[in-house]
Amino acid sequence: MADRSLRGIRLGAQSLQSEDGVVFHDRAQHTYVCATCGRETVLTFAADAEVPPAWECRTCGAEALLRIGEGTATVDHSDDKAPRTHWDMLLERRTIPELEELLEERLAFLRARRGGDQKISA
Ligand SMILES: [Zn+2]
């Protein structure tokens, strides 16, 4: 066990756990084809995993589609939601009247401070 002590080991993905007696899960490789740059990305999944129909291309970041036989998977984007903006998230937490109240408070604070500054500088 002495050889497993922590000495001079770099931080990162290294594990001191031995693989003795470990039975690896069945794996399957799937190929994703990028429609933009043509690059093929091969990924390894668990054999019983649900394989996603699309993956991000490693070269150009576009959508690469899962190769099935001679063709590729089709991806239905009709249900995709528009990305939430900061404004959308804000409206989930506050109502417009609440926001107007906060704005008034803030403006009053800033006006008071500005007024104070003017007295000092005048
Ligand atoms: Zn690509």
Side-chain angles (χ1 to χ4, degrees):
M1 289 301 275
D3 62 325
R4 291 194 186 174
S5 61
L6 280 168
R7 71 196 131 118
I9 195 162
R10 67 185 157 86
L11 293 173
Q14 282 183 333
S15 170
L16 297 173
Q17 194 172 354
S18 119
E19 290 181 355
D20 295 348
V22 172
V23 178
F24 287 104
H25 198 75
D26 283 341
R27 284 171 284 182
Q29 289 201 318
H30 294 279
T31 304
Y32 289 85
V33 185
C34 176
T36 305
C37 74
R39 160 105 186 231
E40 294 186 358
T41 301
V42 180
L43 297 169
T44 304
F45 292 89
D48 56 358
E50 193 178 315
V51 180
W55 201 269
E56 188 181 304
C57 173
R58 284 180 182 169
T59 303
C60 70
E63 186 181 72
L65 296 173
L66 176 65
R67 174 178 288 162
I68 301 170
E70 294 297 305
T72 53
T74 51
V75 178
D76 182 9
H77 287 291
S78 60
D79 293 341
D80 286 3
K81 289 187 193 128
R84 279 159 78 223
T85 63
H86 288 107
W87 177 244
D88 294 333
M89 289 183 243
L90 186 63
L91 287 181
E92 286 168 16
R93 299 195 305 270
R94 308 272 192 188
T95 63
I96 293 286
E98 277 174 343
L99 289 171
E100 279 173 350
E101 195 177 311
L102 285 168
L103 179 64
E104 271 314 310
E105 270 177 33
R106 194 69 199 162
L107 285 173
F109 171 76
L110 288 172
R111 282 186 198 116
R113 204 174 64 166
R114 185 173 297 167
D117 287 348
Q118 280 168 352
K119 271 173 211 153
I120 292 163
S121 62

